[in-house]
Structure formats: structure tokens, C-alpha cells
Amino acid sequence: GESVGLHLPTLSVQEGDNSIINCAYSNSASDYFIWYKQESGKGPQFIIDIRSNMDKRQGQRVTVLLNKTVKHLSLQIAATQPGDSAVYFCAEKVSSASKIIFGSGTRLSIRP
Amino acid sequence: DVKVTQSSRYLVKRTGEKVFLECVQDMDHENMFWYRQDPGLGLRLIYFSYDVKMKEKGDIPEGYSVSREKKERFSLILESASTNQTSMYLCASSSAGLGVNEQFFGPGTRLTVL
């Protein structure tokens, strides 16, 4: 997801369904990508990462897909649960650099 | 359990006041970062430090300064707070060296400038 003005994109998903959150990154030199989850009142927490020499990586209930051709990253959450409600940020980094560039975030909302 | 702590969760200050936001990490990380987070704008880097007494400007350093006298502590200073500095401030740390380095975040300080 990408920001539109000051409005945070929101994805509403039925509990138990799969969620797909998308992100377009900007720097073709970026070779490391991260997804963070930020719950209300907390700082961002690492979910999963992927290096540019991979196009898919799986964690527990989460999968990250990387398409370098179109500079696109996605986070898939299987069997979405109420505890998955949060804002999700993608981030990109050049390995040799200290800085991480964050996307503007997507809010995931779970319908019971 | 690794931890980044910030001195205050909520802070209310008046325009023109000098404000100190403190961040401490217990992971012996070389790199520390200060971000501000505003709705729809994501996280924007203010300053970062890659070593004691070293600092580099991020994307929005204007109106801010930083101090890193000890490895575990990174302070953000608003010399003269203004209302447009009302925001959520997040501190993070990461290890240095080659390769990729996850950033660990503190819980944030919500600053309101009246």
C-alpha cells in the first residue's frame, strides 16, 4: 500500500481469510527488504525480511514476495486473526548503508 | 529480551520550550536513529548516529539536534519547540558491520506542543 495525501490506506479482511498487503519500493539499488508491524500505541516490530537474491520467503503464517522487475513487495498473512490488526510498513535498505527507507504504511482491519 | 526504551510515553510542552527526548538501548548496538511518525507520512528519519559522538542528518533535521555521549544513549533535542513538532517520536537501534541489520524500535514518545 502507498499513502494518498494524509490518508493511510486501509485493507479490511474477514477473520480467517488471507490478507495481502502491497508495497512499491523506490530505490533499484535496495537489496534488503523488511516488513514491520505496528500495533496501536507501540513501536514497529520486525515481522519478516527478504534479500534481493530471493523472490519468496516464508515465516509463520506470513510470506513475503519480492518482484525486483517492477520494484514490488507484498506481505501475505494466512488465516488472518484479530491480533493481526495493525499498521504494516514495508522498508527497503541498501546493505552497505545504515539507513532504512520506510513506506507510509497500510492499516489492516479485521472484520469478525 | 532486547530492549529499546524511551524516557516518556507522553509529553506536553509549550511553544519555545527546550525539549529532551531520551532513548536507551541494551543491545550494545552501534547505530541509533530518531524518527518522527505522522499520519499518512510513515516514518521520517530525523538524525542517526553510527558511533559515540558521531551523528548524521536524516531527511528532516531542521529544528532538531542530537547528542550521543554514550553508546547506549541517544538524545533528541528540540531547542525551541514549535507546534509543527507535535508528533510521535520513535527511537531505534541496530548493529553495525556488513550485511543487513534489523532495526529495533522503542515504544515511542507522543509529544504535543501547545
Side-chain angles (χ1 to χ4, degrees), chain A residues 6-108:
Chain A
L6 295 177
H7 302 289
L8 199 62
T10 298
L11 176 66
S12 180
V13 174
Q14 190 79 33
E15 183 177 347
D17 286 354
N18 297 336
S19 303
I20 301 176
I21 302 171
N22 296 303
C23 177
Y25 65 92
S26 56
N27 186 359
S28 56
S30 294
D31 56 2
Y32 177 58
F33 305 89
I34 316 145
W35 280 99
Y36 282 90
K37 172 185 180 183
Q38 186 176 22
E39 296 174 276
S40 180
K42 297 182 179 179
Q45 286 185 295
F46 173 92
I47 303 173
I48 191 168
D49 60 359
I50 187 168
R51 294 174 185 256
S52 60
N53 60 354
M54 303 170 69
D55 52 21
K56 180 179 180 179
R57 189 165 187 223
Q58 288 185 289
Q60 190 177 16
R61 277 202 312 118
V62 294
T63 301
V64 56
L65 299 177
L66 174 63
N67 184 332
K68 295 181 288 294
T69 303
V70 294
K71 293 193 287 187
H72 184 267
L73 197 63
S74 69
L75 177 71
Q76 300 179 4
I77 304 173
T80 310
Q81 303 169 358
D84 296 326
S85 291
V87 176
Y88 291 81
F89 294 94
C90 65
E92 59 182 299
K93 184 179 184 288
V94 176
S95 299
S96 57
S98 299
K99 292 168 57 174
I100 290 178
I101 310 295
F102 287 87
S104 55
T106 297
R107 185 180 304 281
L108 179 63

